[in-house]
Amino acid sequence: MSSNTPRIAIVGVGGRMGRTLVAAVEQDTQTQFAAGIVEPGSSLKGVDIGELSGLGKLGISAVDSLASVVDDFDVLIDFTAPRVTLENLAFCAKHGKAIVIGTTGLGDDELAELDGYRDRVPMVFAPNMSVGVNLTLKLLETAAKALGDEGYDIEVIEAHHRHKVDAPSGTALKMGEVVAESLGRSLKEHGVFERVGQCGPRSDKEIGFATLRAGDIVGEHTVLFATEGERIEITHKASSRMTFAKGAVRAARWVSEQPVGRYDMQDVLGLK
């Protein structure tokens, strides 16, 4: 689809993750930073993106529409908001671009809409682009299959910074889904996302979630398997957004060479 050096556009370069993504592309020798997009009408339009990201001048100014840079990029990286992401996905499908989506908080209807593009655009969609998180997902699959229904209670605990707008995190939900599928359960049926008051004892098959929001925590996730006499904890902690950004850039390199289809980081990392 692209040349050997895919040209990367990043939407949301005015935000913390957007600025980190710019830095990650600039550090990567196998990609080229080509364009950065801010919200329509943003005061950041026209600002040098390198200066915005603390990298010094790059000679590339922020724009407020994808249409204005349609000929300048091969792959779009999007970590924005559900409706914005779906609009950008439609744009990429229309104009023959690949896309890497790290946006979380999509509802069932939005996920169905996203999936409708699987035959129209090469996309990598993952709630977490970290290589470590995706290896953790593989470990969770192995653990759940090995433990089976042998009396282990399962809880997913996650913590993020105070500004995160969705809960539980997309990563926590993905972890719950991986465990549930490995056990032959439905997360919609057995997921428990709130315990308040006289809620009674847990059931044998439920998968519980606990959410923490505080300070500047980048992202911490633990899946607990507990039974009489022992517990197993599988934990991933991120100390910098750069780990997610580097994974997204790796996904952008990979998807630039793929046919249309919906992929995830397990595909990118060859873990399937």
Side-chain angles (χ1 to χ4, degrees):
M1 175 177 177
S2 70
S3 66
N4 290 332
T5 305
R7 302 169 300 164
I8 309 299
I10 298 168
V11 64
V13 290
R16 288 167 299 187
M17 192 64 205
R19 295 193 298 269
T20 306
L21 285 163
V22 172
V25 175
E26 281 296 295
Q27 291 175 18
D28 188 74
T29 60
Q30 299 177 65
T31 55
Q32 176 188 347
F33 178 61
I37 300 90
V38 293
E39 290 181 298
S42 171
S43 61
L44 296 175
K45 180 181 178 181
V47 174
D48 187 283
I49 296 171
E51 293 187 327
L52 181 63
S53 303
L55 304 173
K57 281 189 177 292
L58 293 177
I60 301 174
S61 298
V63 300
D64 65 356
S65 76
L66 272 178
S68 65
V69 291
V70 64
D71 296 323
D72 298 337
F73 72 95
D74 305 302
V75 185
L76 180 69
I77 301 179
D78 187 325
F79 279 68
T80 58
R83 291 316 310 174
V84 176
T85 294
L86 290 169
E87 291 171 6
N88 292 335
L89 177 58
F91 181 94
C92 288
K94 180 179 179 180
H95 295 282
K97 311 294 184 179
I99 186 170
V100 173
I101 299 171
T103 302
T104 60
L106 282 78
D108 290 344
D109 291 344
E110 291 163 328
L111 287 170
E113 185 175 341
L114 181 145
D115 195 56
Y117 285 90
R118 65 166 54 243
D119 297 323
R120 299 171 58 186
V121 61
M123 75 169 110
V124 173
F125 172 57
N128 194 308
M129 299 286 173
S130 159
V131 173
V133 160
N134 283 278
L135 287 172
T136 300
L137 293 175
K138 198 67 177 178
L139 293 174
L140 290 172
E141 179 184 346
T142 300
K145 287 180 177 178
L147 298 174
D149 286 319
E150 297 299 320
Y152 284 85
D153 298 325
I154 302 165
E155 298 285 320
V156 182
I157 306 103
E158 60 102 340
H160 282 85
H161 55 87
R162 68 192 310 273
H163 301 288
K164 187 168 178 61
V165 298
D166 58 308
S169 71
T171 302
L173 290 171
K174 182 64 176 178
M175 288 177 167
E177 289 169 0
V178 167
V179 170
E181 289 172 6
S182 299
L183 294 171
R185 302 178 193 171
S186 164
L187 189 62
K188 285 188 176 181
E189 181 180 353
H190 295 292
V192 175
F193 301 95
E194 183 179 78
R195 295 187 180 107
V196 179
Q198 297 295 319
C199 58
R202 77 181 334 272
S203 68
D204 291 339
K205 294 186 179 297
E206 72 184 52
I207 298 173
F209 288 79
T211 296
L212 306 178
R213 294 288 178 265
D216 62 353
I217 300 170
V218 174
E220 299 182 1
H221 297 84
T222 294
V223 178
L224 173 70
F225 299 84
T227 190
E228 295 291 335
E230 70 173 1
R231 68 176 182 265
I232 301 164
E233 297 179 15
I234 298 178
T235 298
H236 178 273
K237 296 183 179 181
S239 57
S240 169
R241 289 181 180 82
M242 185 56 75
T243 187
F244 311 126
K246 287 182 176 179
V249 175
R250 183 169 176 174
R253 289 200 311 262
W254 183 85
V255 79
S256 71
E257 303 297 336
Q258 305 306 314
V260 297
R262 175 177 168 177
Y263 307 99
D264 59 22
M265 284 301 290
Q266 304 286 306
D267 296 303
V268 175
L269 300 174
L271 294 175
K272 288 187 173 178

